Amino acid sequence: MKQGIDVTGDLLKAVSRSFYLTIRFLPQQMRPAVALAYMLARATDSVADTSAAGEDERIAALQRMAAAIAGEEEADLEQLLSDTLAPQQQKPEEATLLSRFMECVAALKSFPEEQVALIRKVLATIIEGQLWDLSYFRDHDCVQNDGETRRYTYSVAGCVGEFWTELGYATMGEQFCELDRKEVMLEAGSRFGQGLQLINILRDRAEDAARGRSYICSSPGRWMLRAQRYMMDGVDYSRRLGSFRLRFASMLPALIGAETLKLLHAQADSGVRVKIPRRKVYFCMVKAFFASLFKQS
């Protein structure tokens, strides 16, 4: 990749421990595009979560970031991110990521056209979800129905499962998975992504409510069961992929998600934000290794 972007190094490791583990095991054909898409999405997420900045400022910045990713000229965006929003980040690695956002955008030029189109498509959907989040909770403190929860989890995570699948087929063809399973895999990938986002929502429920944001309006137990089913979909999705490295990279977040759900269930009424311990992450890595040795037909 151009512009010196260290997509698999210390910066990526700093902003996401679990994703860093995942991407290191992806086949080389998929790794650069997945990593760059993640870095772009993580940068927009950092802007969306910059509580020190006003909502209007964040919305305007996200719209400009979306335009830059889409290939439009955005004069002074780099200065806005580096001089205004980066210093407001609580984590130094996120500040660094915002300062290097335009490098990530420039790196898109080094990718094949089909991969660029997929990256732009998934980022447009993610940013649409982030903009909805910022706008919606100006006038509401809770979603109004389950459909809004499903739409939100798709826009910020379900679309990522689809992106992963489309990119796999684009870069690896039948080495990724049988072509006649593409539609099934796209649907399973979407559910997998939505399940991971549901786990985040359930884990952060008390913290989000304190900030005037509730992403579920019905029984948390129902959503926990849905997330469990979606993690099972993720395991099944992973087992059908065409190589050990693919299966392992996909299986690991499914198993980490399942372990997180166990903690959420055990501490459902404690109000404590759960975090899977490092030893459990290593346990999931070992389990994913053995579960990925053979492909499910």
Side-chain angles (χ1 to χ4, degrees):
M1 294 177 61
K2 297 179 180 179
Q3 307 296 327
I5 299 296
D6 186 15
V7 294
T8 58
D10 291 341
L11 183 57
L12 181 60
K13 184 178 182 180
V15 297
S16 179
R17 180 182 62 175
S18 60
F19 190 77
Y20 174 79
L21 292 173
T22 297
I23 199 169
R24 288 295 294 261
F25 288 93
L26 271 180
Q28 180 58 39
Q29 298 97 311
M30 292 179 63
R31 193 183 306 160
V34 170
L36 181 60
Y38 175 81
M39 299 289 269
L40 291 168
R42 192 68 188 86
T44 63
D45 192 55
S46 295
V47 169
D49 289 343
T50 306
S51 57
E55 290 171 350
D56 288 339
E57 184 180 1
R58 284 181 276 170
I59 287 171
L62 284 172
Q63 289 171 334
R64 295 185 65 189
M65 292 169 85
I69 292 167
E72 300 176 20
E73 287 291 333
E74 281 296 321
D76 302 325
L77 176 57
E78 183 172 13
Q79 183 176 358
L80 170 66
L81 295 175
S82 298
D83 297 350
T84 303
L85 291 170
Q88 298 182 49
Q89 302 305 305
Q90 296 182 352
K91 297 179 179 180
E93 60 272 12
E94 293 187 356
T96 301
L97 181 58
L98 287 185
S99 298
R100 299 182 65 183
F101 175 77
M102 294 307 293
E103 289 183 52
C104 294
V105 171
L108 273 170
K109 297 176 182 178
S110 67
F111 284 82
E113 184 176 332
E114 185 177 13
Q115 294 183 38
V116 173
L118 291 174
I119 292 171
R120 285 175 170 166
K121 176 183 174 184
V122 71
L123 263 296
T125 305
I126 289 170
I127 295 173
E128 181 181 343
Q130 293 166 340
L131 290 170
W132 174 87
D133 189 331
L134 287 171
S135 300
Y136 184 86
F137 288 106
R138 284 175 161 176
D139 303 316
H140 306 83
D141 58 10
C142 183
V143 297
Q144 302 300 295
N145 53 65
D146 290 351
E148 289 181 339
T149 303
R150 290 192 293 269
R151 283 192 295 273
Y152 175 70
T153 56
Y154 170 78
S155 65
V156 297
C159 67
V160 177
E162 291 181 347
F163 163 74
W164 180 292
T165 306
E166 289 183 315
L167 180 69
Y169 277 109
T171 57
M172 300 182 68
E174 288 214 341
Q175 291 182 335
F176 179 79
C177 190
E178 293 87 348
L179 293 178
D180 61 3
R181 291 194 59 84
K182 184 173 182 178
E183 292 305 315
V184 174
M185 294 296 283
L186 283 169
E187 292 174 7
S190 176
R191 292 193 299 271
F192 187 8
Q194 287 180 274
L196 291 171
Q197 184 62 28
L198 279 175
I199 292 170
N200 290 337
I201 287 171
L202 291 163
R203 183 190 61 195
D204 299 340
R205 193 159 55 96
E207 182 180 322
D208 286 338
R211 295 167 47 238
R213 276 173 160 74
S214 292
Y215 295 94
I216 57 175
C217 61
S218 53
S219 167
R222 287 181 54 210
W223 290 104
M224 192 171 295
L225 288 173
R226 183 185 291 265
Q228 288 172 340
R229 291 198 302 271
Y230 285 176
M231 288 305 97
M232 292 175 64
D233 285 338
V235 171
D236 182 68
Y237 173 97
S238 304
R239 285 175 171 162
R240 296 181 184 278
L241 296 174
S243 74
F244 168 79
R245 296 180 72 90
L246 277 171
R247 291 191 292 272
F248 181 86
S250 182
M251 182 80 68
L252 182 57
L255 295 180
I256 290 175
E259 288 294 328
T260 304
L261 283 169
K262 290 179 184 178
L263 288 177
L264 284 168
H265 181 75
Q267 302 182 29
D269 300 320
S270 69
V272 177
R273 187 181 187 274
V274 304
K275 182 178 180 180
I276 184 170
R278 189 175 295 273
R279 61 181 176 81
K280 283 287 187 180
V281 173
Y282 292 140
F283 169 77
C284 289
M285 291 179 68
V286 173
K287 189 174 180 181
F289 175 86
F290 287 104
S292 302
L293 289 175
F294 303 101
K295 178 184 176 183
Q296 180 175 319
S297 58

